[in-house]
Structures are given as structure tokens and as C-alpha cells.
Amino acid sequence: MKVYLRRLKKNRQTFCTIMYHKILNTILNIKKIIALLFFLSCIQPIQAQLFGSRASASAPAMDVETDIEKLCTPATNGRYTGSMGETNAANYIESRFNAIGIKPYQGKYKWDFTCDVGMQLGENAKFEILGKNLKIGNDILFLPYGSGNKISGMCLPRVNEKDNVWLIPLSDTKVIETNDIQKRIYDFAKSSIEGGARAVIFLNDINTDYDLNVHTLRMYDVLTAPVGIINFDTYTKQIQPQKISDWIDVNGTLDFDKGSATGKNIMAYIDNKAALTMVIGTHYDHLGNTFTGADKGASGVAAMLQIAESIKKNRLSNYNYLFVAFSGHEQNLAGSKAFFNQYKSATNSIAGFIELDMLGRLNSSKELLINGAGTSPSWIPTLQTLNKGYKLLLDSSGVGFSEFTNFYYKNIPSIRISTGYHTDFNKQTDVPQKIMYTGLKDIINYVYTLIADMDTKSKPVFTKTNDYLIKLQNIETDLGIIPDNTYENNGIRVGACLPYKAAEKAGIVPGDIIAKIGSYIIVDMYDYIEAITKSDKGKETVIIIKRDKNEFKFFVTL
């Protein structure tokens, strides 16, 4: 019996030992499984970031705020084509592509082109008043919308004789009542020339804050006589002390001629050794001076940079990818026209063009404007399939007021994606503080998803569209609006009013519906073109506008 008990005790100890080790091994295995699961959960986001699925991969962590703010600083000074501000903006965009790790196209980021920037003085230009030669560009500035060769007359300030030089104290223009000094000066000069002035010379009798800078002069419609402004110090030290009581002899030789500037396109390239290239672009230039262009220009650049980073990280490879920041937008799209001389492959190697422009003002209705939607039968179904709750406003025409037009003219499927025009369009109030950053980031993700989806498919087929805007652009008489071509009811809806043009001056605003021009009832664009064509330039015309549920009558001089 004792022997049996000893064996039982020994067997129980052995059993316990075996069970102990089994339980211990099980616990260790569970820990390994937990550790493995934890490891996999950690590595999965990294794999998704590095090798993520093409259409579902999201854009990188956003820093669009920094990009927009950097492009709107005093150093870029409105990014006017050919200016130091444009160069500083170009340098910043180049540095961003370099930081992302996208190489320059054909060995360089910056590609120069030449464009017309308005009227400029001849090399031997000179100006004399009260027997003193004033230094042009320092003592006196001649404004780029003036024209003509000679300034000659005997005159007095505020004595405005027809066919003579008009000397106008700047205080008489009430320029202190506006935040747009240059526009007030232009309007006053235009009115003076229409009143008979052979030349207009403004005298800055206010203070140095109203001196103009040669590097920030803006271009308007060319006038038929020279326009200059004598700065405050020159006026107060050389002219005002003369106690003028007799006629002043004014003489000048200007030799005005069309001027040119060197603009810069910036190009970065992902070379996947593919047969075809997808081009993604935006313009970065703007109006110069204090026009920051946060939405117009900067928002498109910020979006393009983020999308470029996503394409590189997610290794989209069915196409090569060329990213272009165009300059010369304000000079009749000069940069995108020059692009086709800078692009070193055949035009038919471009699979498609996607333009990003004015993406920073997504409204509560989430309206997204797509220009060029009819340039390929694949655009609309793809955009709708991938739609993330946007109200897509589809304009089928390949011709518009932006860079996508020049690609369309080369038979390339081309779209422009935008949140549309707004009341700050081409104004100094288009500032970074008004950008809807959450909406902008969502749009960036949407556009990236579109590009990733296209990367899995063959080249889009090109389709010609109804290009009636060409006729509109060739009309001599101008109301000064950009039509909203997505509007499908009777009338023409105003997408934007161009600053300082007839429609804005009359009080017409974006969203208004033009129902009648003179005796012409407006149903569609063809009616609008006919009415504008047959309206007399310079003659007051009655325009009937529908605004909400009300109808208004405007008197407009076209």
C-alpha cells in the first residue's frame, strides 16, 4: 500500500509538472500571438503608406496652409510675371519639389519664356518741367497703359485745356478714399484723356505713401496718351517751391513701345519609363503689387504639390507624371502656350491634362466646377463614380479662361477643377485667411483618387466640344463677365464680374441671371453672343437681371 501511494504521489507530481509546462507554453504562445498581432497592426499603416492600394490611398499629411502663406508673402509681391516676386515664388515651388523628391524635367525646374507685358518706354526717353530734367523711374513714373511719343505744352495745375498737357494734383482724384490707388489713377487719367488731355501728369501732393513703385505697376487697357506721376519729394522740393504763377513749359520724348518680360514655368517629372505622360498643372502668377492671390494661384499650387507627393509615395506607374506650375496666366495664358515649345516629346504622348485652379472656396453646397468635362467621354462617369458628396457643376466646353484651353487646342483631353468664382476674384481681398482649408484638403484627396483610378486605365479618348466661347472672345463689345456655363435654365448666369469692367461698375454681381440685353431676350449663349455683338460700343444699354426672385434693370455702357 505504501508503495502504491508513493507511485501515486510521484505520478501526480509528474502530471502537475507536465501540465505546468503545457500551460506555460500556451501562455507564451498567446503572448507571441499578441505580439505578432501588435506588430502587424503597426506595420500595416507603414505598408499602406509605402505600397498602398492605388485608388484607395489617401493624400499625405497636409501642409497646404504653409504653401499658401509662403506664396502670399511680401517677398512674392503678387507674383507678377517677370518680377522678382515671381522669381521668389518660383524658387519656393522648386524647393518644394526638391524636398518631395521629384526630379526636374529634362534636368531643370525653371523654363523661361518671353511674353508681352504692356507698353514700355524707349531707351532714350526724357522728361523736362520748369527747365529741370526729371529722372524717369525715380522722380517721375510713366504708367504702362500710356502710349505716344511726345509730351509738349504750356500748362498750369488744374487748368485743363483741350489738346494740352493736364497737370493734376493727386489730391484732386480723391485717391485717399480708395484702397486701390492705381485703379483710381487709371480711371481719372482715362476720363481726362476722353475730356481732351494730350497727356496727363499727376503731382503727388499728399505724401510718400502715394508714390508708385516701378516694380508693382499694373496694366490696364491701353490709353491714347502718356500718363505719368511725379513723386512726393520731387513735387514738394522742385515744383511746389516755385510759387507757380505763369505757364509751365513741359516737354518729353517717350518712344512708347510694347514691352516684354521673361516668365518662368516650373516643371517636375516622375519618369516611369511609360509610353504616355499625364500632365497635372496650375498657374502660380498673379497681378502683382498687393494682390496676394491666395485662392487664384496659390491654392492650386498647394494642391498640386500635395498630389505630387501622393503620386510619388503610392508609386503610380502606368503613366509618367509631369507637374507644371505655369506663369504668364495674366498675359493671355503665355506660359501654357510656351509649354508646348518646352515639352520635348510629341504632343500625342500626353494622355491628359488636369488643371487645379481656385480650389480654396468650397461653399456649403459643396459645389465643384469641372471645365472641359466633355473633352473625353471618360471624364464625367469617372468623376461621378468617385464623387464624395460634391455637387458637380459640369461645363463640357474645352475652351475657357484658363490653361486647360491650350491643351484642348492640341487635342488633349483636359479638365479644370475649381470651387468656382467669388466676389474676391482678382481683388486684393483674396487673402489666405479666407481659404476654406478643410474643403481644400478634401478636394485634394478627391483629385488624387481620380488620378489613381486613371492610372489603372488606358489613355482617355479625346472629343471635340461646342466651342462658342471662341466667338465670345472675338466680340469687340464687352460686358466684362465670365459666364457660368453650367447653368441650364433660360438666361446667362454670371460666374464672375471682371474687376473695373462694365458689369461690375453697373452693380451686377456673380449669380445674377441676364434675362435681356436691349431688345434681345436671352435664352442661351447664342442669344447672348448675338445681343452683345449687335449692341453699340460706348452706348448705354438696358440689361434686365434676375436676382433671386426679383428682377432689376441696369444701365450699362458696353
Side-chain angles (χ1 to χ4, degrees):
M1 187 70 179
K2 289 181 179 180
V3 173
Y4 172 79
L5 290 173
R6 282 198 301 272
R7 288 179 178 175
L8 180 62
K9 182 177 180 181
K10 184 176 181 182
N11 290 338
R12 188 170 62 187
Q13 290 173 340
T14 302
F15 173 78
C16 290
T17 302
I18 292 170
M19 292 303 297
Y20 169 79
H21 286 291
K22 285 185 176 182
I23 292 170
L24 181 62
N25 287 335
T26 300
I27 292 171
L28 291 173
N29 286 335
I30 291 172
K31 287 183 176 181
K32 288 178 181 179
I33 292 170
I34 292 172
L36 179 61
L37 290 172
F38 178 76
F39 172 75
L40 290 174
S41 70
C42 290
I43 198 171
Q44 189 173 5
I46 299 173
Q47 288 176 321
Q49 185 180 13
L50 295 177
F51 313 107
S53 63
R54 303 153 75 85
S56 62
S58 63
M62 301 293 178
D63 194 18
V64 291
E65 293 94 336
T66 298
D67 284 333
I68 289 175
E69 287 170 1
K70 290 289 186 181
L71 291 168
C72 295
T73 61
T76 63
N77 198 30
R79 309 185 299 275
Y80 192 77
T81 302
S83 70
M84 182 56 67
E86 181 220 36
T87 297
N88 290 338
N91 289 339
Y92 176 75
I93 297 168
E94 177 180 328
S95 71
R96 289 284 285 114
F97 276 126
N98 191 52
I100 293 169
I102 300 179
K103 295 180 179 180
Y105 175 68
Q106 295 281 318
K108 62 179 181 179
Y109 287 110
K110 296 189 187 76
W111 292 76
D112 291 350
F113 63 91
T114 302
C115 64
D116 179 11
V117 292
M119 306 301 290
Q120 289 187 344
L121 296 174
E123 293 182 0
N124 298 318
K126 61 182 180 180
F127 179 81
E128 183 182 273
I129 185 171
L130 287 170
K132 299 181 177 66
N133 283 315
L134 300 189
K135 186 176 180 181
I136 295 176
N138 186 3
D139 300 325
I140 183 170
L141 285 182
F142 283 96
L143 306 182
Y145 44 78
S147 63
N149 180 33
K150 295 290 293 184
I151 298 177
S152 179
M154 300 292 289
C155 50
L156 280 171
R158 297 190 177 97
V159 178
N160 301 330
E161 296 181 327
K162 282 190 175 183
D163 294 324
N164 201 357
V165 179
W166 289 17
L167 297 178
I168 301 173
L170 198 58
S171 57
D172 287 1
T173 69
K174 299 182 180 179
V175 72
I176 61 175
E177 298 176 3
T178 179
N179 63 354
D180 193 342
I181 299 170
Q182 293 201 45
K183 182 58 175 57
R184 178 62 62 86
I185 291 172
Y186 173 78
D187 286 341
F188 206 97
K190 181 179 180 181
S191 177
S192 299
I193 292 169
E194 290 172 349
R198 189 190 302 166
V200 180
I201 305 297
F202 292 100
L203 310 170
N204 182 3
D205 59 339
I206 306 175
N207 59 52
T208 55
D209 291 340
Y210 291 87
D211 288 338
L212 300 185
N213 187 316
V214 67
H215 299 295
T216 59
L217 296 178
R218 299 211 309 275
M219 184 64 192
Y220 301 95
D221 293 340
V222 176
L223 301 179
T224 57
V227 180
I229 179 169
I230 295 175
N231 71 29
F232 179 73
D233 283 345
T234 301
Y235 172 72
T236 55
K237 293 177 182 178
Q238 299 189 43
I239 297 175
Q240 193 179 40
Q242 299 296 322
K243 307 293 183 184
I244 299 166
S245 59
D246 201 358
W247 295 100
I248 299 173
D249 188 10
V250 175
N251 281 289
T253 303
L254 303 179
D255 294 325
F256 266 111
D257 198 1
K258 286 186 176 180
S260 63
T262 300
K264 298 174 178 63
N265 290 336
I266 302 103
M267 293 196 270
Y269 188 53
I270 297 177
D271 186 0
N272 290 319
K273 310 300 180 185
L276 298 171
T277 297
M278 191 67 67
V279 182
I280 300 160
T282 183
H283 76 90
Y284 72 97
D285 66 302
H286 197 41
L287 296 171
N289 204 0
T290 56
F291 288 75
T292 57
D295 188 33
K296 188 183 177 188
S299 68
V301 173
M304 181 181 67
L305 291 169
Q306 299 297 332
I307 290 167
E309 186 172 356
S310 288
I311 290 172
K312 179 176 174 58
K313 284 187 174 181
N314 294 305
R315 300 184 179 183
L316 304 191
S317 58
N318 191 41
Y319 297 105
N320 307 313
Y321 287 92
L322 180 62
F323 306 96
V324 189
F326 300 101
S327 190
H329 175 90
E330 305 296 345
Q331 289 72 40
N332 197 25
L333 309 178
S336 55
K337 291 176 182 177
F339 166 82
F340 292 99
N341 293 322
Q342 299 168 342
Y343 184 64
K344 302 303 181 182
S345 300
T347 302
N348 61 13
S349 70
I350 298 177
F353 175 64
I354 297 176
E355 180 184 354
L356 309 168
D357 183 28
M358 295 176 62
L359 297 170
R361 297 294 189 90
L362 188 66
N363 59 28
S364 58
S365 299
K366 296 191 70 175
E367 292 178 339
L368 207 56
L369 173 61
I370 312 294
N371 297 105
T375 61
S376 174
S378 62
W379 288 128
I380 294 176
T382 304
L383 286 161
Q384 290 175 334
T385 300
L386 301 173
N387 191 6
K388 298 181 179 180
Y390 295 108
K391 181 180 179 181
L392 299 179
L393 305 178
L394 303 172
D395 174 12
S396 63
S397 178
V399 178
F401 301 94
S402 205
E403 277 68 18
F404 76 99
T405 300
N406 289 324
F407 284 79
Y408 168 75
Y409 285 151
K410 299 291 184 179
N411 296 334
I412 297 168
S414 307
I415 58 171
R416 172 181 177 268
I417 301 175
S418 169
T419 52
Y421 298 99
H422 45 76
T423 55
D424 295 316
F425 174 71
N426 274 6
K427 294 183 179 178
Q428 292 165 311
T429 48
D430 180 10
V431 294
Q433 293 87 337
K434 293 187 177 182
I435 297 294
M436 308 296 290
Y437 283 105
T438 299
L440 174 57
K441 293 174 184 180
D442 288 341
I443 293 169
I444 290 171
N445 280 319
Y446 176 50
V447 176
Y448 171 76
T449 303
L450 168 67
I451 295 169
D453 181 80
M454 293 181 66
D455 193 73
T456 66
K457 299 175 181 177
S458 58
K459 176 182 177 180
V461 176
F462 174 75
T463 306
K464 289 285 288 184
T465 65
N466 188 346
D467 303 333
Y468 55 77
L469 280 181
I470 296 175
K471 297 179 181 179
L472 186 61
Q473 291 170 332
N474 292 330
I475 296 174
E476 183 178 352
T477 308
D478 182 25
L479 179 58
I481 69 163
I482 296 178
D484 178 357
N485 297 317
T486 67
Y487 185 66
E488 297 179 347
N489 297 324
N490 289 348
I492 296 296
R493 184 163 66 187
V494 178
C497 293
L498 298 177
Y500 322 125
K501 297 291 186 178
E504 185 188 65
K505 289 180 179 178
I508 295 172
V509 298
D512 283 349
I513 311 298
I514 300 174
K516 192 174 182 180
I517 299 177
S519 60
Y520 295 91
I521 296 174
I522 308 301
V523 175
D524 56 23
M525 182 57 71
Y526 297 101
D527 294 327
Y528 177 79
I529 291 173
E530 182 181 10
I532 293 294
T533 302
K534 294 183 177 180
S535 295
D536 294 329
K537 183 177 181 180
K539 184 178 179 181
E540 191 173 70
T541 302
V542 176
I543 296 180
I544 303 299
I545 293 291
K546 292 181 179 178
R547 183 180 297 170
D548 298 324
K549 296 181 180 180
N550 302 311
E551 191 170 278
F552 299 93
K553 182 183 291 186
F554 290 85
F555 297 89
V556 180
T557 301
L558 301 175

PDB file of all heavy atoms in Angstrom, residues 59-73:
ATOM      1  N   ALA A  59      -4.141  61.113 -49.600  1.00  0.00           N
ATOM      2  CA  ALA A  59      -3.054  62.074 -49.732  1.00  0.00           C
ATOM      3  C   ALA A  59      -2.250  62.121 -48.438  1.00  0.00           C
ATOM      4  O   ALA A  59      -2.706  61.671 -47.389  1.00  0.00           O
ATOM      5  CB  ALA A  59      -3.621  63.455 -50.051  1.00  0.00           C
ATOM      6  N   PRO A  60      -1.028  62.661 -48.485  1.00  0.00           N
ATOM      7  CA  PRO A  60      -0.172  62.692 -47.296  1.00  0.00           C
ATOM      8  C   PRO A  60      -0.676  63.701 -46.278  1.00  0.00           C
ATOM      9  O   PRO A  60      -1.623  64.429 -46.508  1.00  0.00           O
ATOM     10  CB  PRO A  60       1.183  63.133 -47.870  1.00  0.00           C
ATOM     11  CG  PRO A  60       0.806  63.963 -49.051  1.00  0.00           C
ATOM     12  CD  PRO A  60      -0.411  63.300 -49.636  1.00  0.00           C
ATOM     13  N   ALA A  61      -0.010  63.699 -45.136  1.00  0.00           N
ATOM     14  CA  ALA A  61      -0.348  64.707 -44.119  1.00  0.00           C
ATOM     15  C   ALA A  61      -0.213  66.085 -44.746  1.00  0.00           C
ATOM     16  O   ALA A  61       0.789  66.416 -45.371  1.00  0.00           O
ATOM     17  CB  ALA A  61       0.596  64.565 -42.934  1.00  0.00           C
ATOM     18  N   MET A  62      -1.247  66.906 -44.591  1.00  0.00           N
ATOM     19  CA  MET A  62      -1.326  68.149 -45.340  1.00  0.00           C
ATOM     20  C   MET A  62      -0.527  69.286 -44.699  1.00  0.00           C
ATOM     21  O   MET A  62      -0.452  69.395 -43.494  1.00  0.00           O
ATOM     22  CB  MET A  62      -2.789  68.594 -45.448  1.00  0.00           C
ATOM     23  CG  MET A  62      -3.678  67.587 -46.134  1.00  0.00           C
ATOM     24  SD  MET A  62      -3.236  67.425 -47.874  1.00  0.00           S
ATOM     25  CE  MET A  62      -4.408  66.160 -48.360  1.00  0.00           C
ATOM     26  N   ASP A  63       0.044  70.116 -45.551  1.00  0.00           N
ATOM     27  CA  ASP A  63       0.652  71.349 -45.090  1.00  0.00           C
ATOM     28  C   ASP A  63       0.315  72.449 -46.089  1.00  0.00           C
ATOM     29  O   ASP A  63       1.151  73.273 -46.445  1.00  0.00           O
ATOM     30  CB  ASP A  63       2.162  71.176 -44.963  1.00  0.00           C
ATOM     31  CG  ASP A  63       2.797  72.316 -44.153  1.00  0.00           C
ATOM     32  OD1 ASP A  63       2.050  73.006 -43.441  1.00  0.00           O
ATOM     33  OD2 ASP A  63       4.011  72.521 -44.261  1.00  0.00           O
ATOM     34  N   VAL A  64      -0.930  72.413 -46.564  1.00  0.00           N
ATOM     35  CA  VAL A  64      -1.338  73.389 -47.576  1.00  0.00           C
ATOM     36  C   VAL A  64      -1.333  74.811 -47.026  1.00  0.00           C
ATOM     37  O   VAL A  64      -1.103  75.769 -47.763  1.00  0.00           O
ATOM     38  CB  VAL A  64      -2.735  73.053 -48.147  1.00  0.00           C
ATOM     39  CG1 VAL A  64      -2.690  71.792 -48.970  1.00  0.00           C
ATOM     40  CG2 VAL A  64      -3.766  72.926 -47.049  1.00  0.00           C
ATOM     41  N   GLU A  65      -1.564  74.944 -45.724  1.00  0.00           N
ATOM     42  CA  GLU A  65      -1.548  76.279 -45.121  1.00  0.00           C
ATOM     43  C   GLU A  65      -0.201  76.952 -45.329  1.00  0.00           C
ATOM     44  O   GLU A  65      -0.127  78.125 -45.727  1.00  0.00           O
ATOM     45  CB  GLU A  65      -1.870  76.198 -43.622  1.00  0.00           C
ATOM     46  CG  GLU A  65      -3.292  75.767 -43.309  1.00  0.00           C
ATOM     47  CD  GLU A  65      -3.399  74.268 -43.067  1.00  0.00           C
ATOM     48  OE1 GLU A  65      -2.511  73.517 -43.576  1.00  0.00           O
ATOM     49  OE2 GLU A  65      -4.365  73.842 -42.414  1.00  0.00           O
ATOM     50  N   THR A  66       0.866  76.204 -45.068  1.00  0.00           N
ATOM     51  CA  THR A  66       2.213  76.770 -45.222  1.00  0.00           C
ATOM     52  C   THR A  66       2.491  77.141 -46.664  1.00  0.00           C
ATOM     53  O   THR A  66       3.027  78.227 -46.951  1.00  0.00           O
ATOM     54  CB  THR A  66       3.267  75.761 -44.722  1.00  0.00           C
ATOM     55  OG1 THR A  66       3.061  75.513 -43.336  1.00  0.00           O
ATOM     56  CG2 THR A  66       4.672  76.311 -44.927  1.00  0.00           C
ATOM     57  N   ASP A  67       2.130  76.251 -47.595  1.00  0.00           N
ATOM     58  CA  ASP A  67       2.382  76.545 -49.005  1.00  0.00           C
ATOM     59  C   ASP A  67       1.659  77.817 -49.439  1.00  0.00           C
ATOM     60  O   ASP A  67       2.240  78.674 -50.121  1.00  0.00           O
ATOM     61  CB  ASP A  67       1.927  75.370 -49.878  1.00  0.00           C
ATOM     62  CG  ASP A  67       2.894  74.195 -49.821  1.00  0.00           C
ATOM     63  OD1 ASP A  67       4.089  74.433 -49.567  1.00  0.00           O
ATOM     64  OD2 ASP A  67       2.458  73.057 -50.031  1.00  0.00           O
ATOM     65  N   ILE A  68       0.410  77.956 -49.070  1.00  0.00           N
ATOM     66  CA  ILE A  68      -0.360  79.133 -49.475  1.00  0.00           C
ATOM     67  C   ILE A  68       0.206  80.397 -48.838  1.00  0.00           C
ATOM     68  O   ILE A  68       0.369  81.435 -49.499  1.00  0.00           O
ATOM     69  CB  ILE A  68      -1.847  78.948 -49.130  1.00  0.00           C
ATOM     70  CG1 ILE A  68      -2.459  77.889 -50.058  1.00  0.00           C
ATOM     71  CG2 ILE A  68      -2.614  80.266 -49.255  1.00  0.00           C
ATOM     72  CD1 ILE A  68      -3.887  77.529 -49.729  1.00  0.00           C
ATOM     73  N   GLU A  69       0.528  80.324 -47.557  1.00  0.00           N
ATOM     74  CA  GLU A  69       1.072  81.505 -46.883  1.00  0.00           C
ATOM     75  C   GLU A  69       2.417  81.923 -47.485  1.00  0.00           C
ATOM     76  O   GLU A  69       2.688  83.114 -47.656  1.00  0.00           O
ATOM     77  CB  GLU A  69       1.206  81.221 -45.386  1.00  0.00           C
ATOM     78  CG  GLU A  69      -0.144  81.185 -44.668  1.00  0.00           C
ATOM     79  CD  GLU A  69      -0.045  80.678 -43.237  1.00  0.00           C
ATOM     80  OE1 GLU A  69       1.084  80.375 -42.801  1.00  0.00           O
ATOM     81  OE2 GLU A  69      -1.091  80.576 -42.571  1.00  0.00           O
ATOM     82  N   LYS A  70       3.271  80.951 -47.813  1.00  0.00           N
ATOM     83  CA  LYS A  70       4.576  81.263 -48.402  1.00  0.00           C
ATOM     84  C   LYS A  70       4.430  81.930 -49.773  1.00  0.00           C
ATOM     85  O   LYS A  70       5.234  82.779 -50.148  1.00  0.00           O
ATOM     86  CB  LYS A  70       5.411  79.982 -48.541  1.00  0.00           C
ATOM     87  CG  LYS A  70       5.889  79.387 -47.227  1.00  0.00           C
ATOM     88  CD  LYS A  70       6.975  80.236 -46.576  1.00  0.00           C
ATOM     89  CE  LYS A  70       7.544  79.547 -45.356  1.00  0.00           C
ATOM     90  NZ  LYS A  70       8.586  80.361 -44.686  1.00  0.00           N
ATOM     91  N   LEU A  71       3.400  81.536 -50.517  1.00  0.00           N
ATOM     92  CA  LEU A  71       3.188  82.107 -51.845  1.00  0.00           C
ATOM     93  C   LEU A  71       2.488  83.464 -51.799  1.00  0.00           C
ATOM     94  O   LEU A  71       2.324  84.104 -52.834  1.00  0.00           O
ATOM     95  CB  LEU A  71       2.387  81.132 -52.707  1.00  0.00           C
ATOM     96  CG  LEU A  71       3.128  79.858 -53.111  1.00  0.00           C
ATOM     97  CD1 LEU A  71       2.169  78.836 -53.695  1.00  0.00           C
ATOM     98  CD2 LEU A  71       4.239  80.174 -54.112  1.00  0.00           C
ATOM     99  N   CYS A  72       2.070  83.872 -50.609  1.00  0.00           N
ATOM    100  CA  CYS A  72       1.341  85.137 -50.456  1.00  0.00           C
ATOM    101  C   CYS A  72       2.094  86.150 -49.593  1.00  0.00           C
ATOM    102  O   CYS A  72       1.509  87.113 -49.103  1.00  0.00           O
ATOM    103  CB  CYS A  72      -0.044  84.877 -49.851  1.00  0.00           C
ATOM    104  SG  CYS A  72      -1.138  83.905 -50.914  1.00  0.00           S
ATOM    105  N   THR A  73       3.381  85.947 -49.389  1.00  0.00           N
ATOM    106  CA  THR A  73       4.166  86.846 -48.542  1.00  0.00           C
ATOM    107  C   THR A  73       4.586  88.095 -49.324  1.00  0.00           C
ATOM    108  O   THR A  73       4.540  88.117 -50.558  1.00  0.00           O
ATOM    109  CB  THR A  73       5.438  86.139 -48.035  1.00  0.00           C
ATOM    110  OG1 THR A  73       6.238  85.770 -49.171  1.00  0.00           O
ATOM    111  CG2 THR A  73       5.093  84.902 -47.235  1.00  0.00           C
TER     112      THR A  73
END
